[in-house]
């Protein structure tokens, strides 16, 4: 059974760099699929941040691309999100997820439980 | 950016009834690039339908998706008590991938 589990700082201050880790069990991330991040601000809808394939192909949301880096650590079977220069607008629940490739690129079939990140000034 | 608009905002129904949820795209979607997710309070979204009409693994056949172009529908043939939740559509045919604002299916 494939499972994903996010970890992160919880609280941070404006202008800092957010770093999140998603640990994957039950599947080797180097074997296939895309690995992505989606966020949900309190009481709001969902926003795709980006995803990376096992072969290094990336998709980033244009509105976040200048601040986002997603990377895979196959030795630890985990992947990460870095988001620079955070503001209160980046306060959200951050989910990691496994994504389809090919014609269904952008579909996320298995999600972690999420980690809440709160940014204060 | 393609804007996804879901209607109604809230659907009040009883268990056993049929639910019809709509999702409209501001531009015609390329390929069959639409998915539906279900989200319950305090939980992560769950993939229900991908490529407009394909059920994800383990999803009961009371869930079905249809549509093309700019108009898409998620139908739940007979509501089970566990189906009361928020439902989101998402398009991935054009960057940025975007979600609708959600439809809440609540118990009447």
């Amino acid at each position: 059974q494939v499972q994903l589990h996010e970890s992160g700082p919880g609280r941070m201050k404006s202008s800092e760099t957010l770093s999140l880790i998603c640990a994957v069990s039950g599947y080797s991330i180097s074997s296939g699929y895309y690995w992505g991040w989606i966020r949900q601000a309190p009481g709001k809808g969902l926003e795709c941040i980006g995803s990376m394939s096992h072969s290094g192909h990336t998709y980033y949301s244009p509105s976040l691309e200048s601040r986002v880096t997603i990377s895979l650590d196959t030795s630890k079977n985990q992947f990460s999100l870095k988001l620079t220069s955070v503001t209160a607008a980046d306060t959200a629940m951050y989910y990691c997820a496994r994504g389809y490739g090919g014609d269904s690129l952008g579909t996320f079939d298995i999600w972690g439980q999420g980690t809440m990140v709160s940014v204060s000034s | 950016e393609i804007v996804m608009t879901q209607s109604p905002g809230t659907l009040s129904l009883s268990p056993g009834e049929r639910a019809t949820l709509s999702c409209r795209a501001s531009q015609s979607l390329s390929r069959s690039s639409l998915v539906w997710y279900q989200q319950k309070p305090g939980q992560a979204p769950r993939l229900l339908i991908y490529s407009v009409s394909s059920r994800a693994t383990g999803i009961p056949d009371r869930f079905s998706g249809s549509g093309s172009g700019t108009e898409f529908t998620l139908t739940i043939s007979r509501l089970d008590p566990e189906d009361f939740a928020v439902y989101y559509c998402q398009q991935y045919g054009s960057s940025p991938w975007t979600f609708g604002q959600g439809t809440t299916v609540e118990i009447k």
Side-chain angles (χ1 to χ4, degrees), chain B residues 35-107:
Chain B
V35 298
W36 290 93
Y37 297 95
Q38 175 195 68
Q39 187 176 33
K40 297 180 180 178
Q43 296 186 18
R46 173 194 182 196
L47 178 65
L48 297 176
I49 301 287
Y50 65 97
S51 297
V52 176
S53 58
S54 298
R55 270 188 303 277
T57 302
I59 301 302
D61 60 7
R62 64 179 180 273
F63 290 93
S64 63
S66 63
S68 64
T70 61
E71 301 284 343
F72 301 89
T73 300
L74 175 69
T75 301
I76 310 171
S77 59
R78 288 176 56 86
L79 281 165
D80 188 273
E82 66 182 14
D83 299 337
F84 292 92
V86 180
Y87 292 83
Y88 293 96
C89 62
Q90 177 219 335
Q91 69 81 23
Y92 54 86
S94 174
S95 177
W97 303 336
T98 48
F99 290 85
Q101 80 281 16
T103 289
T104 300
V105 179
E106 64 176 23
I107 300 177

